Amino acid sequence: MECIFCKIIVGEIPAKLIYDRNEVIAFDDINPQAPTHLLIVPKKHFENAGEIAESDAEILAEMFRVAKELAKGRGLSGYRTVFNTGAEAGQSVFHAHLHLIGGRAFGWPPG
Ligand code: DGP
């Protein structure tokens, strides 16, 4: 098993889990881009968000519900959720994950 997030899910690589229920876990990003930067990750391996949508769209909905719950728990009045898909878009880990970023103001368009 080469996937780094699969290894986190089975406990082979340590991560501080913020959330672990049903089909989804969340943990702090190792390289945070904002005061809150969490990764919301399906326990089942999918390469990207499109694959989740094609195979089990309810997991995608659960990931966004978890984002809402965690943002609320941290008192964030606004937050950004991002799926990078493909290396050109900045995806570096090919196990789908939703970035939940907040706690500072963000610009648009994104870099
Ligand atoms: P992306 O570039 O969209 O594929 O995001 C991958 C994120 O995963 C990146 O922000 C850094 C994070 N990351 C990579 N390896 C690890 C790790 O071993 N532990 C944790 N907590 N985060 C990781």
Side-chain angles (χ1 to χ4, degrees):
M1 182 170 64
E2 292 307 317
C3 172
I4 198 161
F5 287 177
C6 285
K7 288 183 178 174
I8 288 175
I9 288 158
V10 299
E12 255 181 56
I13 292 178
K16 189 178 156 225
L17 295 190
I18 309 290
Y19 180 98
D20 180 358
R21 211 182 304 153
N22 302 328
E23 302 294 325
V24 173
I25 65 168
F27 49 85
D28 283 315
D29 193 293
I30 205 169
N31 183 24
Q33 302 300 312
T36 289
H37 187 167
L38 304 178
L39 300 174
I40 300 169
V41 181
K43 292 180 184 175
K44 191 171 164 196
H45 184 96
F46 299 95
E47 186 166 316
N48 55 50
E51 275 197 4
I52 308 175
E54 285 174 352
S55 143
D56 193 342
E58 175 53 31
I59 293 178
L60 216 43
E62 188 184 346
M63 292 169 77
F64 280 100
R65 278 196 297 271
V66 171
K68 183 181 180 192
E69 179 182 327
L70 296 179
K72 187 178 176 197
R74 287 172 182 235
L76 299 176
S77 55
Y79 59 90
R80 190 168 283 183
T81 42
V82 177
F83 277 110
N84 294 320
T85 298
E88 192 178 359
Q91 187 175 8
S92 59
V93 176
F94 291 84
H95 180 130
H97 51 282
L98 181 62
H99 294 261
L100 167 59
I101 312 167
R104 67 169 172 84
F106 297 107
W108 192 264

